[in-house]
Amino acid sequence: QVQLVQSGAEVKKPGASVKVSCKASGYTFSNYYIHWVRQAPGQGLEWMGIIIPSGGSTTYAQMFQDRVTMTRDTSTTTVYMELSSLRSEDTAVYYCAKGGSSSWLDFWGQGTLVSVSS
Amino acid sequence: DIQLTQSPSFLSPSVGDRVTITCRASQGISSYLAWYQQKPGKAPKLLIYTTSTLQSGVPSRFSGSGSGTEFTLTISSLQPEDFATYYCQQFNSYPLTFGGGTTVEI
């Protein structure tokens, strides 16, 4: 069965970086995009970007363009999302999600809470 | 960016009620719309994609319709496990965007 297993919660200080991992299993890793979506406490869903596992190309939402980097390791079927220059507003649960045949999100990781506080 | 506006923001129906949630797009998105259900502390779960296709395993009481700029999610007979927050999402173009959510609460 399809599974996306994310790394554990992180606590960071403002200005630091965080790197969240997402290990995929149960399907052909290279065939489907991986998306990252975040959700601030009590708020809605915000799309951050995608990575195409087969070639590693990425598309980022403009508001994260300067601070986010998405990478993948095909040998371990793991995708990474690194967010730099953290500020308190980045406190959120970060989700990875597998794209379907188009860009709906059919399977989600369990989420990783990133807390940014001085 | 394509804006999605959901209405209502909150609903307080009873078990057995028919529930309809609307999602309006700021520009035409053809049929490129999905719906998700999210329960507190959990990841969203895909219910419907491409406006009306039910994801495998989702009960048939859920249905979706619409095209262009106006879409609806209908729950034909609300069950206790359906109390949750529902989001629409467009995948017509990047950046992907979500509606603000509709909370169905007791």
Side-chain angles (χ1 to χ4, degrees):
Chain A
Q1 72 283 20
V2 174
Q3 278 196 302
L4 299 172
V5 179
Q6 299 183 222
S7 49
E10 303 263 11
V11 179
K12 295 292 182 181
K13 294 196 180 302
S17 296
V18 68
K19 192 170 186 178
V20 179
S21 67
C22 170
K23 179 168 176 58
S25 62
Y27 70 98
T28 303
F29 178 69
S30 58
N31 286 0
Y32 297 93
Y33 298 3
I34 293 288
H35 299 252
W36 287 90
V37 175
R38 77 176 185 180
Q39 186 171 38
Q43 302 301 308
L45 302 168
E46 183 173 39
W47 183 79
M48 300 180 68
I50 61 161
I51 183 166
I52 302 175
S54 58
S57 61
T58 55
T59 300
Y60 302 138
Q62 188 167 10
M63 71 172 292
F64 300 105
Q65 187 78 37
D66 296 335
R67 297 196 295 136
V68 73
T69 304
M70 297 176 188
T71 56
R72 94 285 189 231
D73 182 341
T74 55
S75 68
T76 60
T77 63
T78 301
V79 173
Y80 301 90
M81 187 282 299
E82 184 170 22
L83 189 63
S84 62
S85 303
L86 290 168
R87 34 213 188 224
S88 58
E89 311 89 88
D90 294 317
T91 293
V93 175
Y94 290 76
Y95 294 102
C96 61
K98 171 185 165 291
S101 302
S102 185
S103 290
W104 61 80
L105 309 178
D106 57 4
F107 291 93
W108 295 62
Q110 83 275 21
T112 297
L113 175 61
V114 175
S115 300
V116 183
S117 174
S118 53
Chain B
D1 298 1
I2 297 173
Q3 312 301 318
L4 297 179
T5 303
Q6 285 183 236
S7 60
S9 298
F10 294 93
L11 274 177
S12 191
S14 299
V15 171
D17 284 355
R18 182 181 182 88
V19 170
T20 299
I21 298 168
T22 297
C23 178
R24 290 187 173 86
S26 59
Q27 63 190 76
I29 58 171
S30 186
S31 296
Y32 299 123
L33 191 94
W35 290 95
Y36 302 86
Q37 176 193 69
Q38 187 178 33
K39 297 183 178 180
K42 300 294 187 182
K45 171 189 172 184
L46 176 67
L47 297 176
I48 288 170
Y49 58 94
T50 320
T51 297
S52 59
T53 303
L54 213 59
Q55 172 70 343
S56 175
V58 173
S60 59
R61 63 180 179 274
F62 290 92
S63 64
S65 64
S67 69
T69 61
E70 186 152 339
F71 302 85
T72 59
L73 171 69
T74 299
I75 310 171
S76 60
S77 178
L78 194 73
Q79 298 303 299
E81 60 269 29
D82 300 336
F83 289 95
T85 300
Y86 295 84
Y87 294 94
C88 57
Q89 175 237 324
Q90 66 81 21
F91 53 97
N92 179 78
S93 61
Y94 292 125
L96 304 186
T97 49
F98 293 87
T102 296
T103 300
V104 178
E105 56 191 8
I106 300 171

